[in-house]
Structures are given as structure tokens and as C-alpha cells.
Amino acid sequence: MQEPLVTVLVSVYNHENYIEECLRSIAAQRVDFPIEVLVGEDCSTDGTRSVLRRLEPELPSYFTILYREKNMGSVANGEDLYSRTSGKYLVDFEGDDFMLFDGRLQKQVDFLESHPDYTAVSSNSLVVGADSRPNGEKYPECHDEEYSWKEYFYSCMPGQSGSIMCRAQDYFAARDNFVALKSYDSYPGDRRNAFLWLCMGRVRCFQEQWNAYRHIKKGGSSYSATTRVNEGYVKNEVQFGRTLVEYADRYGTEDARRTARLTWYRLRLKWAFSKLGSERPGQVLRELMGERGRVGLLLSPLRWYGVLGVRTLLGRSATL
């Protein structure tokens, strides 16, 4: 049996109403290379497992559905899927999202195969609600064909996570190095990944909607639906920024080091003036004055809020 060129991972938990649309959209992809699709069903409490057992005989042979014996949690479920990956390229998908264009995987592979200096490629995403119809929201994705450090600083992602294809082994190596340095408990993986891909090389952003991202604010499993801003969240956010700096100092370019520090000091200054922060403004300012480019670092929160404010007024999504 031929080794797959692409591995698509699908993490599934309580996606009874959405998983069929997700998997059928992947099965509909037209490609001229072997692929594998690994589905991790994490002991859902709804009817997801029944839907999968009904679908399984109808899916192509390159689909493998892993029925967990007990709930592993989203992190452990994902890590197990990563460990089983054998493709040169990786797509990390969620069971409630779906692909819109049946040539998506082919287009992304063709680009990466012919552009070895690129580490990842994304597309735009259509934001949909529970009914799979556009809900009027816009994903905060890059509007340029080339992702940049500037866009990273302004919290703009190259694309929604499921829209991205990357070089699997390069990504896993960089991710392991980052995790070895991390001093936070949890923080959105898409922000870490975008930073890593820029450190590793270039990122191409196709300005076409090839992916659908389901965003359900109430009762959903999205980050915005489940996150609560408290002291723990603030600590994680600041420590994430610190990890960016440590990683960039070891593995990044000058642009990476600069962007990491801008991000870290923006977060520290932001929370130093809040009751939820553990640092005081004077402490942060004293450290900042010892850095190169301290004026830029000092002004980083104003730049960030100013640019995102203008983008919002122009109808561009700044967050979701």
C-alpha cells in the first residue's frame, strides 16, 4: 500500500449533527495522490458514534475511525492522532467544520510541492452557524497572499486552523521545541502554530473560500464559547508571550525576535493596568526600558488597538 502524501486528522466530540457533512466533504476531495483520514471519536455523549458507525461502510478505505474506549479530552485525543500521522503534509480538522471546494487538497499540495520555501498554505473560510449557512461573521484571516510578521502582531491568522495544510514533520519538530519551552498551561494553538510557521519559512494565503468554519457562540465548543477571562487566563496569555520570546531567541530570525517582544510587552502592559494582572505597570516599564527599541515596545498596545479599531470600522473582522 502506498504511503499517503496527505494526512487529514479529524477530532470529534459531540458532533452528531455535523460529522456527516464534515466527512463527506473530505471524501469528495478529488486528488491524484494517496491520502489518509484519521478520525478520533472521543466518547461523545450524544449520537455521534451511531452516525459514524452508519457512515463507516460508505466511506473510502483510506478513512480510519478510532472509537475511544473512554474520553481522553481534546488535547490527548489530538496528540494520539498526531502520533499516527504518516503523510508528508498535514491538515488538522474539526468534526463540525467542512470543506467547500473539492479541489482544495490538490491545490494546496500542488503549491507546496512546487514551492519548497513555503511551510504552510491556507485558504479563506466561510463562517457558518448550526444550520451550515453563513451567519454573517467574518473570520480574522489574512487578506494578503503572503502572511507576515506584521499580520501576526495584529492577531490576524493566516487562516482558520482547518483551512491550513503544512509540512508535517517540520511542524512536529518545531512544535516539540516550543512545547519544551512553554511556561503556560493552555492557550489557543492557532496562535502558536502561526508563529512557528513564520519562523520555519513562508506561508501562502489563497484568497478563496475553500473551507467552512462553524461558529456557535452559545452552547458550542469553540474557543470563544468556552473561554472565561479570569486570573488564570491572564497568566496564561502573558506566559504565552514569554514563550514566544524564548523560542524566537533560540530558533527565530530578527523579525521573529522583534515580533515576539512586541507581542509579549503588549500583553504585559495590557494586563498590568488590570485587576486581573499579577504584574504592576512600574515593574513592566522598568524591564521594557532595558530593551532595544523600547519606544516601539512602549507604544505596542496603542498600535495594536489603533489598527484593529480601524480594521473593525472598515468591516474587517479583528476577532471571533
Side-chain angles (χ1 to χ4, degrees):
M1 183 176 177
Q2 256 187 310
E3 283 291 305
L5 186 63
V6 173
T7 297
V8 180
L9 305 181
V10 186
S11 299
V12 181
Y13 182 71
N14 285 357
H15 291 150
E16 175 184 10
N17 296 326
Y18 316 123
I19 188 61
E20 181 168 359
E21 185 173 29
C22 170
L23 297 187
R24 289 198 186 281
S25 77
I26 299 172
Q29 289 293 301
R30 295 180 292 106
V31 297
D32 61 10
F33 49 80
I35 70 173
E36 67 175 354
V37 181
L38 306 178
V39 181
E41 200 294 296
D42 198 21
C43 277
S44 298
T45 58
D46 62 2
T48 299
R49 186 160 291 201
S50 296
V51 174
L52 286 172
R53 292 200 183 281
R54 171 176 61 79
L55 283 176
E56 196 167 9
E58 304 174 27
L59 295 171
S61 60
Y62 52 78
F63 275 73
T64 299
I65 301 178
L66 303 166
Y67 297 99
R68 308 303 191 187
E69 294 182 3
K70 61 180 181 179
N71 180 261
M72 301 173 69
S74 60
V75 174
N77 187 28
E79 289 299 321
D80 180 74
L81 291 175
Y82 285 146
S83 71
R84 299 170 186 267
T85 297
S86 56
K88 178 180 179 181
Y89 300 116
L90 171 70
V91 175
D92 195 355
F93 220 61
E94 293 286 338
D96 57 349
D97 299 333
F98 54 98
M99 298 183 185
L100 295 172
F101 170 44
D102 62 7
R104 175 207 154 166
L105 297 182
Q106 185 71 56
K107 289 276 191 181
Q108 291 182 319
V109 164
D110 288 346
F111 183 85
L112 289 172
E113 287 282 272
S114 60
H115 295 81
D117 53 333
Y118 281 79
T119 59
V121 59
S122 69
S123 76
N124 291 162
S125 291
L126 177 68
V127 184
V128 302
D131 58 1
S132 298
R133 296 180 179 179
N135 67 3
E137 295 179 297
K138 297 178 181 179
Y139 194 81
E141 60 205 358
C142 183
H143 287 201
D144 305 319
E145 290 192 349
E146 185 88 5
Y147 191 52
S148 64
W149 288 113
K150 179 189 76 172
E151 290 303 299
Y152 183 85
F153 173 71
Y154 291 124
S155 302
C156 176
M157 298 294 98
Q160 192 272 333
S161 295
S163 77
I164 297 170
M165 177 183 289
C166 69
R167 299 184 188 276
Q169 295 309 313
D170 292 345
Y171 164 65
F172 289 146
R175 180 174 165 275
D176 288 346
N177 289 334
F178 192 93
V179 169
L181 295 171
K182 86 181 185 81
S183 54
Y184 60 94
D185 294 325
S186 64
Y187 201 67
D190 58 350
R191 288 159 173 75
R192 175 201 63 208
N193 293 343
F195 188 85
L196 294 180
W197 289 321
L198 282 174
C199 284
M200 293 157 55
R202 303 170 69 183
V203 180
R204 171 65 184 269
C205 307
F206 283 103
Q207 298 300 306
E208 295 149 302
Q209 287 183 336
W210 294 347
N211 193 62
Y213 167 60
R214 197 179 306 275
H215 188 227
I216 303 173
K217 293 181 180 179
K218 294 184 179 180
S221 57
S222 67
Y223 179 74
S224 57
T226 58
T227 298
R228 300 292 177 267
V229 178
N230 52 31
E231 291 181 358
Y233 172 88
V234 171
K235 180 181 178 182
N236 279 328
E237 187 163 71
V238 172
Q239 291 301 104
F240 171 75
R242 182 186 187 92
T243 306
L244 292 181
V245 171
E246 293 182 0
Y247 183 90
D249 284 347
R250 290 197 185 196
Y251 304 106
T253 62
E254 181 60 33
D255 285 340
R257 291 189 286 272
R258 178 66 176 164
T259 304
R261 279 171 171 75
L262 284 169
T263 301
W264 187 38
Y265 278 104
R266 175 183 71 78
L267 295 172
R268 294 178 73 187
L269 288 167
K270 167 188 172 183
W271 293 116
F273 289 93
S274 165
K275 293 180 180 180
L276 295 175
S278 60
E279 295 183 293
R280 296 300 92 201
Q283 175 188 349
V284 179
L285 290 171
R286 281 192 296 273
E287 289 188 32
L288 184 153
M289 295 307 290
E291 296 274 6
R292 284 192 309 152
R294 51 184 175 269
V295 174
L297 297 175
L298 181 63
L299 296 177
S300 61
L302 296 178
R303 281 179 54 200
W304 190 85
Y305 282 110
V307 169
L308 266 64
V310 170
R311 289 183 176 184
T312 301
L313 288 174
L314 294 174
R316 180 172 171 180
S317 178
T319 186
L320 191 62

Short mmCIF file of all heavy atoms in Angstrom, two decimals, residues 130-168:
data_model
loop_
_atom_site.label_atom_id
_atom_site.label_comp_id
_atom_site.label_asym_id
_atom_site.label_seq_id
_atom_site.Cartn_x
_atom_site.Cartn_y
_atom_site.Cartn_z
N ALA A 130 -25.14 26.83 13.12
CA ALA A 130 -25.56 25.44 13.33
C ALA A 130 -26.25 24.86 12.11
O ALA A 130 -26.23 23.64 11.88
CB ALA A 130 -26.48 25.35 14.55
N ASP A 131 -26.87 25.73 11.28
CA ASP A 131 -27.60 25.27 10.11
C ASP A 131 -26.73 25.17 8.85
O ASP A 131 -27.23 24.94 7.75
CB ASP A 131 -28.79 26.19 9.83
CG ASP A 131 -28.37 27.65 9.60
OD1 ASP A 131 -27.15 27.93 9.65
OD2 ASP A 131 -29.25 28.49 9.38
N SER A 132 -25.41 25.36 9.02
CA SER A 132 -24.43 25.29 7.90
C SER A 132 -24.59 26.43 6.91
O SER A 132 -24.02 26.37 5.82
CB SER A 132 -24.52 23.94 7.17
OG SER A 132 -24.20 22.88 8.04
N ARG A 133 -25.32 27.46 7.28
CA ARG A 133 -25.48 28.63 6.43
C ARG A 133 -24.62 29.78 6.97
O ARG A 133 -24.36 29.84 8.17
CB ARG A 133 -26.95 29.06 6.37
CG ARG A 133 -27.86 28.03 5.72
CD ARG A 133 -29.30 28.51 5.70
NE ARG A 133 -30.18 27.52 5.07
CZ ARG A 133 -31.49 27.68 4.95
NH1 ARG A 133 -32.08 28.78 5.42
NH2 ARG A 133 -32.22 26.74 4.37
N PRO A 134 -24.21 30.70 6.10
CA PRO A 134 -23.41 31.83 6.57
C PRO A 134 -24.14 32.57 7.69
O PRO A 134 -25.33 32.85 7.60
CB PRO A 134 -23.28 32.71 5.32
CG PRO A 134 -23.44 31.77 4.17
CD PRO A 134 -24.42 30.73 4.63
N ASN A 135 -23.41 32.87 8.78
CA ASN A 135 -24.03 33.54 9.92
C ASN A 135 -23.71 35.04 9.97
O ASN A 135 -24.04 35.71 10.96
CB ASN A 135 -23.63 32.87 11.23
CG ASN A 135 -22.15 33.02 11.55
OD1 ASN A 135 -21.41 33.68 10.81
ND2 ASN A 135 -21.71 32.42 12.64
N GLY A 136 -23.07 35.55 8.93
CA GLY A 136 -22.78 36.98 8.87
C GLY A 136 -21.46 37.39 9.46
O GLY A 136 -21.04 38.54 9.33
N GLU A 137 -20.78 36.47 10.14
CA GLU A 137 -19.49 36.79 10.74
C GLU A 137 -18.37 36.59 9.71
O GLU A 137 -18.53 35.87 8.72
CB GLU A 137 -19.23 35.90 11.95
CG GLU A 137 -20.19 36.14 13.10
CD GLU A 137 -19.90 35.21 14.27
OE1 GLU A 137 -20.02 33.97 14.10
OE2 GLU A 137 -19.55 35.71 15.35
N LYS A 138 -17.25 37.22 10.00
CA LYS A 138 -16.07 37.06 9.16
C LYS A 138 -14.92 36.55 10.02
O LYS A 138 -14.72 37.03 11.14
CB LYS A 138 -15.68 38.39 8.51
CG LYS A 138 -16.72 38.95 7.56
CD LYS A 138 -16.28 40.30 7.00
CE LYS A 138 -17.34 40.87 6.06
NZ LYS A 138 -16.92 42.21 5.54
N TYR A 139 -14.16 35.61 9.48
CA TYR A 139 -13.03 35.09 10.23
C TYR A 139 -11.86 36.08 10.14
O TYR A 139 -11.62 36.66 9.07
CB TYR A 139 -12.59 33.72 9.70
CG TYR A 139 -11.67 33.02 10.65
CD1 TYR A 139 -12.18 32.34 11.75
CD2 TYR A 139 -10.28 33.08 10.49
CE1 TYR A 139 -11.34 31.72 12.66
CE2 TYR A 139 -9.45 32.47 11.40
CZ TYR A 139 -9.98 31.80 12.48
OH TYR A 139 -9.14 31.20 13.39
N PRO A 140 -11.11 36.30 11.24
CA PRO A 140 -9.97 37.24 11.21
C PRO A 140 -8.76 36.63 10.51
O PRO A 140 -7.73 36.34 11.13
CB PRO A 140 -9.70 37.50 12.70
CG PRO A 140 -10.17 36.26 13.39
CD PRO A 140 -11.37 35.79 12.61
N GLU A 141 -8.89 36.46 9.21
CA GLU A 141 -7.84 35.80 8.42
C GLU A 141 -7.06 36.81 7.60
O GLU A 141 -7.51 37.94 7.36
CB GLU A 141 -8.49 34.77 7.48
CG GLU A 141 -9.49 35.39 6.50
CD GLU A 141 -10.54 34.42 6.03
OE1 GLU A 141 -10.49 33.24 6.41
OE2 GLU A 141 -11.43 34.84 5.27
N CYS A 142 -5.90 36.41 7.13
CA CYS A 142 -5.03 37.29 6.38
C CYS A 142 -5.65 37.65 5.03
O CYS A 142 -6.12 36.76 4.31
CB CYS A 142 -3.67 36.62 6.18
SG CYS A 142 -2.46 37.64 5.33
N HIS A 143 -5.64 38.92 4.68
CA HIS A 143 -6.19 39.38 3.41
C HIS A 143 -5.13 39.51 2.32
O HIS A 143 -5.42 39.94 1.21
CB HIS A 143 -6.90 40.72 3.59
CG HIS A 143 -8.21 40.61 4.31
ND1 HIS A 143 -9.19 41.58 4.22
CD2 HIS A 143 -8.72 39.64 5.11
CE1 HIS A 143 -10.24 41.22 4.95
NE2 HIS A 143 -9.97 40.05 5.50
N ASP A 144 -3.90 39.17 2.65
CA ASP A 144 -2.80 39.22 1.70
C ASP A 144 -2.44 37.81 1.25
O ASP A 144 -2.68 36.84 1.98
CB ASP A 144 -1.56 39.87 2.33
CG ASP A 144 -1.86 41.26 2.88
OD1 ASP A 144 -2.59 42.00 2.20
OD2 ASP A 144 -1.37 41.57 3.99
N GLU A 145 -1.85 37.67 0.10
CA GLU A 145 -1.44 36.35 -0.37
C GLU A 145 -0.25 35.80 0.41
O GLU A 145 -0.03 34.59 0.45
CB GLU A 145 -1.12 36.39 -1.86
CG GLU A 145 -2.35 36.59 -2.74
CD GLU A 145 -2.06 36.35 -4.21
OE1 GLU A 145 -0.86 36.24 -4.57
OE2 GLU A 145 -3.02 36.25 -4.98
N GLU A 146 0.52 36.70 1.02
CA GLU A 146 1.69 36.30 1.81
C GLU A 146 1.47 36.71 3.26
O GLU A 146 1.26 37.88 3.57
CB GLU A 146 2.96 36.98 1.26
CG GLU A 146 4.24 36.54 1.92
CD GLU A 146 4.86 35.31 1.26
OE1 GLU A 146 4.33 34.87 0.22
OE2 GLU A 146 5.86 34.79 1.78
N TYR A 147 1.49 35.73 4.16
CA TYR A 147 1.36 36.01 5.60
C TYR A 147 2.64 36.68 6.10
O TYR A 147 3.73 36.40 5.58
CB TYR A 147 1.10 34.72 6.35
CG TYR A 147 0.70 34.89 7.79
CD1 TYR A 147 -0.35 35.73 8.15
CD2 TYR A 147 1.36 34.19 8.81
CE1 TYR A 147 -0.74 35.87 9.47
CE2 TYR A 147 0.98 34.34 10.13
CZ TYR A 147 -0.06 35.17 10.46
OH TYR A 147 -0.43 35.32 11.77
N SER A 148 2.52 37.56 7.09
CA SER A 148 3.67 38.34 7.51
C SER A 148 3.72 38.48 9.03
O SER A 148 2.73 38.25 9.74
CB SER A 148 3.62 39.73 6.89
OG SER A 148 2.48 40.44 7.37
N TRP A 149 4.88 38.90 9.53
CA TRP A 149 5.03 39.17 10.97
C TRP A 149 4.12 40.32 11.40
O TRP A 149 3.61 40.33 12.53
CB TRP A 149 6.48 39.49 11.29
CG TRP A 149 7.37 38.29 11.22
CD1 TRP A 149 8.38 38.04 10.33
CD2 TRP A 149 7.34 37.16 12.10
NE1 TRP A 149 8.96 36.82 10.59
CE2 TRP A 149 8.34 36.26 11.67
CE3 TRP A 149 6.56 36.81 13.20
CZ2 TRP A 149 8.59 35.05 12.31
CZ3 TRP A 149 6.79 35.59 13.84
CH2 TRP A 149 7.80 34.73 13.39
N LYS A 150 3.91 41.28 10.53
CA LYS A 150 3.02 42.39 10.86
C LYS A 150 1.61 41.87 11.15
O LYS A 150 0.99 42.25 12.15
CB LYS A 150 2.97 43.39 9.69
CG LYS A 150 2.04 44.58 9.94
CD LYS A 150 1.85 45.41 8.69
CE LYS A 150 0.90 44.72 7.72
NZ LYS A 150 0.53 45.57 6.57
N GLU A 151 1.12 40.98 10.29
CA GLU A 151 -0.22 40.43 10.50
C GLU A 151 -0.28 39.58 11.76
O GLU A 151 -1.30 39.56 12.46
CB GLU A 151 -0.65 39.62 9.28
CG GLU A 151 -0.93 40.49 8.05
CD GLU A 151 -1.99 41.53 8.32
OE1 GLU A 151 -3.13 41.16 8.65
OE2 GLU A 151 -1.67 42.73 8.24
N TYR A 152 0.81 38.88 12.06
CA TYR A 152 0.82 38.09 13.30
C TYR A 152 0.68 39.01 14.51
O TYR A 152 -0.10 38.72 15.43
CB TYR A 152 2.11 37.27 13.43
CG TYR A 152 2.07 36.42 14.69
CD1 TYR A 152 1.44 35.18 14.69
CD2 TYR A 152 2.60 36.88 15.89
CE1 TYR A 152 1.33 34.42 15.85
CE2 TYR A 152 2.50 36.14 17.05
CZ TYR A 152 1.87 34.90 17.03
OH TYR A 152 1.76 34.17 18.19
N PHE A 153 1.43 40.10 14.53
CA PHE A 153 1.35 41.03 15.67
C PHE A 153 -0.07 41.54 15.87
O PHE A 153 -0.53 41.71 17.00
CB PHE A 153 2.31 42.21 15.47
CG PHE A 153 2.14 43.27 16.52
CD1 PHE A 153 2.55 43.05 17.83
CD2 PHE A 153 1.55 44.49 16.20
CE1 PHE A 153 2.37 44.02 18.81
CE2 PHE A 153 1.37 45.46 17.17
CZ PHE A 153 1.79 45.23 18.48
N TYR A 154 -0.79 41.76 14.77
CA TYR A 154 -2.15 42.27 14.88
C TYR A 154 -3.18 41.15 15.07
O TYR A 154 -4.38 41.35 14.82
CB TYR A 154 -2.49 43.13 13.65
CG TYR A 154 -1.72 44.43 13.62
CD1 TYR A 154 -0.93 44.77 12.52
CD2 TYR A 154 -1.73 45.30 14.71
CE1 TYR A 154 -0.21 45.96 12.51
CE2 TYR A 154 -1.01 46.47 14.69
CZ TYR A 154 -0.25 46.80 13.60
OH TYR A 154 0.47 47.97 13.59
N SER A 155 -2.72 40.00 15.53
CA SER A 155 -3.59 38.87 15.89
C SER A 155 -4.40 38.34 14.72
O SER A 155 -5.48 37.77 14.90
CB SER A 155 -4.53 39.25 17.04
OG SER A 155 -3.80 39.66 18.16
N CYS A 156 -3.90 38.54 13.52
CA CYS A 156 -4.54 38.02 12.31
C CYS A 156 -3.89 36.69 11.96
O CYS A 156 -2.66 36.61 11.83
CB CYS A 156 -4.39 39.03 11.18
SG CYS A 156 -5.05 38.45 9.61
N MET A 157 -4.68 35.65 11.82
CA MET A 157 -4.15 34.34 11.49
C MET A 157 -4.05 34.16 9.97
O MET A 157 -4.77 34.82 9.22
CB MET A 157 -5.05 33.24 12.08
CG MET A 157 -5.14 33.27 13.61
SD MET A 157 -3.58 32.88 14.43
CE MET A 157 -2.95 34.52 14.81
N PRO A 158 -3.18 33.28 9.49
CA PRO A 158 -3.13 33.03 8.04
C PRO A 158 -4.46 32.50 7.52
O PRO A 158 -4.83 32.73 6.36
CB PRO A 158 -2.01 32.00 7.89
CG PRO A 158 -1.83 31.40 9.25
CD PRO A 158 -2.20 32.47 10.23
N GLY A 159 -5.18 31.81 8.36
CA GLY A 159 -6.49 31.26 8.03
C GLY A 159 -6.99 30.48 9.23
O GLY A 159 -6.25 30.25 10.20
N GLN A 160 -8.24 30.07 9.20
CA GLN A 160 -8.76 29.22 10.26
C GLN A 160 -8.01 27.89 10.25
O GLN A 160 -7.60 27.40 9.20
CB GLN A 160 -10.27 29.01 10.06
CG GLN A 160 -10.99 28.40 11.23
CD GLN A 160 -10.99 26.89 11.20
OE1 GLN A 160 -10.91 26.28 10.12
NE2 GLN A 160 -11.07 26.27 12.36
N SER A 161 -7.80 27.29 11.41
CA SER A 161 -6.92 26.12 11.54
C SER A 161 -7.23 25.03 10.53
O SER A 161 -6.32 24.44 9.93
CB SER A 161 -7.01 25.55 12.96
OG SER A 161 -6.50 26.46 13.90
N GLY A 162 -8.51 24.74 10.32
CA GLY A 162 -8.88 23.67 9.41
C GLY A 162 -8.61 23.96 7.96
O GLY A 162 -8.62 23.05 7.12
N SER A 163 -8.35 25.23 7.62
CA SER A 163 -8.09 25.61 6.23
C SER A 163 -6.63 25.44 5.85
O SER A 163 -6.27 25.62 4.68
CB SER A 163 -8.49 27.07 5.99
OG SER A 163 -7.53 27.96 6.53
N ILE A 164 -5.78 25.10 6.81
CA ILE A 164 -4.33 25.13 6.61
C ILE A 164 -3.77 23.73 6.35
O ILE A 164 -4.18 22.75 6.97
CB ILE A 164 -3.65 25.75 7.85
CG1 ILE A 164 -4.10 27.22 8.01
CG2 ILE A 164 -2.12 25.67 7.74
CD1 ILE A 164 -3.68 27.85 9.31
N MET A 165 -2.83 23.66 5.42
CA MET A 165 -2.03 22.46 5.20
C MET A 165 -0.57 22.83 5.44
O MET A 165 -0.11 23.87 4.98
CB MET A 165 -2.20 21.94 3.77
CG MET A 165 -1.33 20.71 3.46
SD MET A 165 -1.48 20.16 1.72
CE MET A 165 -3.15 19.49 1.72
N CYS A 166 0.15 21.98 6.17
CA CYS A 166 1.55 22.29 6.47
C CYS A 166 2.42 21.06 6.26
O CYS A 166 1.92 19.94 6.07
CB CYS A 166 1.69 22.78 7.92
SG CYS A 166 1.39 21.52 9.18
N ARG A 167 3.72 21.27 6.28
CA ARG A 167 4.70 20.17 6.20
C ARG A 167 4.76 19.50 7.56
O ARG A 167 5.22 20.09 8.54
CB ARG A 167 6.05 20.72 5.77
CG ARG A 167 6.01 21.39 4.40
CD ARG A 167 7.39 21.84 3.94
NE ARG A 167 7.25 22.63 2.71
CZ ARG A 167 7.16 22.12 1.48
NH1 ARG A 167 7.22 20.80 1.33
NH2 ARG A 167 7.01 22.90 0.43
N ALA A 168 4.29 18.27 7.62
CA ALA A 168 4.02 17.61 8.90
C ALA A 168 5.24 17.48 9.80
O ALA A 168 5.23 17.91 10.96
CB ALA A 168 3.39 16.24 8.66
#
